[in-house]
């Protein structure tokens, strides 16, 4: 097990993100997770445009969420991302949303791939593609 922390970013809850019950709308949890995934990938790229130049892009294939504690207006949450690479054309990412006091608010498990945007097909070995494109996988995964 790694002693490194997963990628983490903060997001502040805005009024228009609430539902009729006065807490964060269920779909916004997914949006927060996506914002964090995009940010993590951008930081790991370190300015590299190789994947973009090759017309390859990350794509979300599946997402599941477990809600643990409500989030309310004005709260600031931390959203984490931790990629798990295996074999094949997909990889997993564990994401957590924490309240400011450290309370776990939601857990997400997502499946991603890298899509060839011209062929509209997943490419083999996403981990290898990220490495060859110059991505710092230590920013994406605590197991690297």
């Amino acid at each position: 097990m790694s002693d490194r922390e997963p990628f983490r970013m903060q997001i502040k809850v805005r009024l228009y993100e609430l539902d009729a019950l006065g807490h964060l709308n269920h779909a916004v949890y997914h949006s927060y997770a996506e914002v964090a995934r995009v940010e993590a990938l951008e930081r790991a790229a370190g300015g590299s445009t190789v994947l973009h130049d090759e017309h390859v892009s990350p794509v979300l294939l599946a997402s599941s969420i477990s809600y643990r504690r409500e989030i309310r207006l004005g709260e600031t949450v931390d959203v984490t991302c931790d990629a798990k690479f295996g074999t094949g054309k997909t990889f997993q990412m564990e994401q957590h949303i924490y309240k400011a006091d450290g309370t776990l608010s939601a857990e997400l498990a997502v499946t991603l791939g890298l899509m060839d945007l011209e062929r509209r097909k997943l490419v083999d070995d996403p981990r290898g593609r990220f490495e060859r494109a110059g991505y710092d996988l230590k920013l994406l995964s605590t197991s690297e």
Side-chain angles (χ1 to χ4, degrees), residues 44-60:
S48 171
T49 62
V50 172
L51 291 182
H52 179 268
D53 296 345
E54 293 176 347
H55 306 285
V56 172
S57 180
V59 61
L60 178 67

Side-chain angles (χ1 to χ4, degrees), residues 5-13 24 28-40 43 65 71 75-82 93-100 103-108 110 139:
E5 290 288 318
F7 174 85
R8 180 181 295 259
M9 70 171 292
Q10 288 190 334
I11 300 175
K12 185 172 180 179
V13 177
L24 192 66
V28 178
Y29 286 82
H30 289 281
S31 294
Y32 285 4
E34 182 175 14
V35 167
R37 282 193 306 275
V38 169
E39 183 68 23
R43 288 193 196 171
I65 188 167
I71 298 173
E75 288 190 75
T76 299
V77 297
D78 284 343
V79 185
T80 66
C81 301
D82 192 8
M93 188 173 285
E94 297 173 1
Q95 294 191 261
H96 296 94
I97 301 175
Y98 295 99
K99 296 164 76 70
T103 301
L104 178 62
S105 182
E107 298 172 278
L108 292 96
V110 299
L139 294 176

Side-chain angles (χ1 to χ4, degrees), residues 66-128:
S66 295
Y67 301 97
R68 302 292 183 205
R69 295 287 182 271
E70 70 177 348
I71 298 173
R72 311 278 313 241
L73 177 63
E75 288 190 75
T76 299
V77 297
D78 284 343
V79 185
T80 66
C81 301
D82 192 8
K84 307 293 183 195
F85 295 97
T87 60
K89 294 181 179 184
T90 64
F91 62 101
Q92 309 303 308
M93 188 173 285
E94 297 173 1
Q95 294 191 261
H96 296 94
I97 301 175
Y98 295 99
K99 296 164 76 70
D101 67 2
T103 301
L104 178 62
S105 182
E107 298 172 278
L108 292 96
V110 299
T111 302
L112 301 137
L114 288 177
M115 179 181 276
D116 179 319
L117 298 176
E118 293 173 350
R119 293 179 43 239
R120 309 309 286 182
K121 301 279 185 188
L122 294 179
V123 301
D124 290 324
D125 187 23
R127 182 179 187 273

